[in-house]
Amino acid sequence: SDSNESDIPPSADQSEVNHLIPKYIIAKELHANMLPATYDPLHILELVLNGKDIKFDTQKLLLESGFVDLNGTTNLSNIKHRGKLKNNQLSGEIVLTPNKELFELYKLPIRQEAIGDIRIDFNASKERIVANIKAKAKQILISKKTDDNKKVDDNKSAEFNLDIDSLFSHVVYTIKDNRLVADSKVMITTPYAKDISISNTFVMDDNISYKGEIKAKELIGIDAKFTKPLNNLSVTYSGNIKSIKARITSDGLKGSFDSSDFKKGKLHIETTKTILVDEMVELPAELNGTKVNAVVDVPLDFAAIIPLKAKVKITSNITNLDADIMYGKTLQVKAISNMPHDSLLKAFDKNIKWNAINPLVINVELSDKNATLKLKAKELSTDIKYFLDDGKVDGSIKLGGLIIDVKGIAQKKITINSKVDSMKSLLNSVQSFYTLKDLPPLEGALDLSIDVTEMKQAHLSLTSPKMIYRPDRKTEYIVNDVKVVTSLDKSKVLLKEYKVTYDKMKFFSTKPSAVKLKGDIIEISPLWLNDQLKVVGTYNTKSKKGNISADASVLHIAHEWIDLDSAVNLKTVLDGNKTSVKGKVTLLGGKIHYDLNQKTFASDSDIIIVQDIKEESASPFMDNLSISIKIKTKKPLVYKQGDVNIKAKVDLGVEKVVSGPMLFLGLVELPAGGSYIFQDKKFILKKSSIYFTGDIEKPILDIKAKYKTVKYLITVSVTGTPTLPNITFSSVPYLTREQILSVILFDSEVGAENNSGEDMMKMMGGAMAKSALSTVGIKLDHLVLGAENSVEVGKKLTDDITIIYITDEVASVKLQYDYSKNIEGTITVSPESTSGDIFYKRDF
């Protein structure tokens, strides 16, 4: 060291003065260097002390005045000090500049730039040392948005970070007592809370102790409805080097943290007030009043914090949840959900069989590479894995007997596939967890595929080779070659294409059909049938009102029974439960291929078959439906098949009023010129008509046909109804009925002389009439034209039983039963008598 000494005047009290020691020592300049040294992990690279104008009273041992500078460089921090000496007190400022190695050594997740220089005001005397530390810092935590090369934007970081708005620590070290007391006050701001206050008192003497409190008034950045239980959060704590105790309180929570040895501890948190979920989120009306309470217990082992295990118990009037949570290399959640007896879910939908999914075992595992979800219940199981690095999804869902495969990449496309081999099995599977009041009697198989693109749009494809619908034991409807392709997004359903074959008739569309959802409005714009019929309209789901139009300039229907072109113009008005359909259908022309021999009009309404009696169910839709549709031909329809060649003009009205039956009013005109060939004899149709007066199964007939021979012009007329036709024969010149039949059957009236009229009528008249009627669509199982205009009309009830209605002077009904090929029994009932007969028949 270098120093300069000045002359010092002698003391007044020479007896107490050691003249060998000067009274004052004054160092004009002082310089000292410390050699590099290592006190692991601290490496002192350089330490320089400089002094100036230091005055020391040797007799009083008093540093009266002076200035000192200390500059040091270490691997962890740099230090600068400029102080002032006065009367054995050193005061000044110390500036600490932490180095990068300090953060790396202790793995501090703190930005070096945010900390910067730490300035400490201090005052040291031989009795005590007092230091005041003040600091501020912005965005002190390291994040993707606060790296070394990016400028910090005060409040725009989307990641969690915090600001130290103010830090003040007052430290007093009493030298005599060897006691240090530090009182600190910190104010912090985070993205989720402002003005978080931390107060702490640290005492170090023979022991070390501390106590303090953390307060946060409210959370921000999250809907206040969700964070209300955390308002006025307070954590008070106290402890020493061996133990710590903390108490947690808020408006809706309480908890504690205790550790008696800093080896193990226990964290406990529970709700103090029932959480009312419907005050936080909007719930269906049936779930309003949902209440939740929770308890969380976390045992801690400070020697091995990881894996961290916790137990969570949630009780509510929805479901109760017991969960074990473990956080280590992966996050694992194992939970069991048990629904209470009075769960609100049971009232939410009584058709759901909650026991099928209760209890529900839940297993969730989250690692740094993937997430796995497994659910297990009586009728439900899932095993789905999600890969975090590329968003890949792979798994399956089993619902009863239905298995659904899920594959794809979440942000690109996810494909959901399900193959149903039996619709009946599928419906039974659905029935296992959901009660279907009217289980659709469906049979068949289908393939279902759903593609979800970018988690925004769903593309659905459904195919089935054959589907069968059986409403009762005798009826079945079969659809073949089914394909439906649709796409859905938030507000639009697009039916890209569809096709289906029903009763050998194809319905399809290759044009896209669109249904848009705009608030309460459903907009159809448009929906296509066979690429020709265009359906457009709107419907308000709130007011239940709407208008729908169906129009086609030419709608072609191709079927094995008919080829038909029609112009369609229909308007449908929806008003609440009421539906009104009005419009017209113009038949532009076509050909009928249907074999009229297959057609059977309804049998007499007085005949009831017990096996076919069904209880009629109410149909609100049909009760509130009104219809007024006009059907008219622009060009006659052509029917040319076998022995028949006729044309038909239609002029019908389909009418129905609310709560009334469906009525068919009008006629089908058969223009003159059509022909019918019977036993190589050609009958030419005169202008005829079939009239409809309400029930489409009971038209009124007015059909006339003429047959011309060399001598005679014979006319056959059919009037009445299909169940009770009136058939008459006439000729020019005049012939009796027997003679007319003889001409028709034998090409001569002579046959009438060899056979009685009654026998011939029974032999041939009925057969001929049945054939003619059947050809024009009137099929009877028994028809005999007797003498004096008597007629027998019958229908088979079974293969062995025929019921026959007889018109004679006294009308009667006969029930005929064929016991065998040769034995026949009959029961005849009339207003005057009842009789039973058994006949033995044999051919000779």
Side-chain angles (χ1 to χ4, degrees), residues 225 275-285 287-291:
K225 294 182 292 185
I275 299 174
L276 301 178
V277 179
D278 54 356
E279 292 183 357
M280 298 181 177
V281 295
E282 185 176 351
L283 296 174
L287 299 183
N288 284 335
T290 298
K291 300 176 182 180

Side-chain angles (χ1 to χ4, degrees), residues 191-214:
Y192 303 108
K194 292 183 177 180
D195 300 327
I196 300 174
S197 68
I198 303 174
S199 58
N200 183 77
T201 299
F202 176 83
V203 178
M204 183 176 68
D205 41 26
D206 294 337
N207 299 303
I208 293 177
S209 63
Y210 49 86
K211 63 180 179 179
E213 184 177 13
I214 303 171

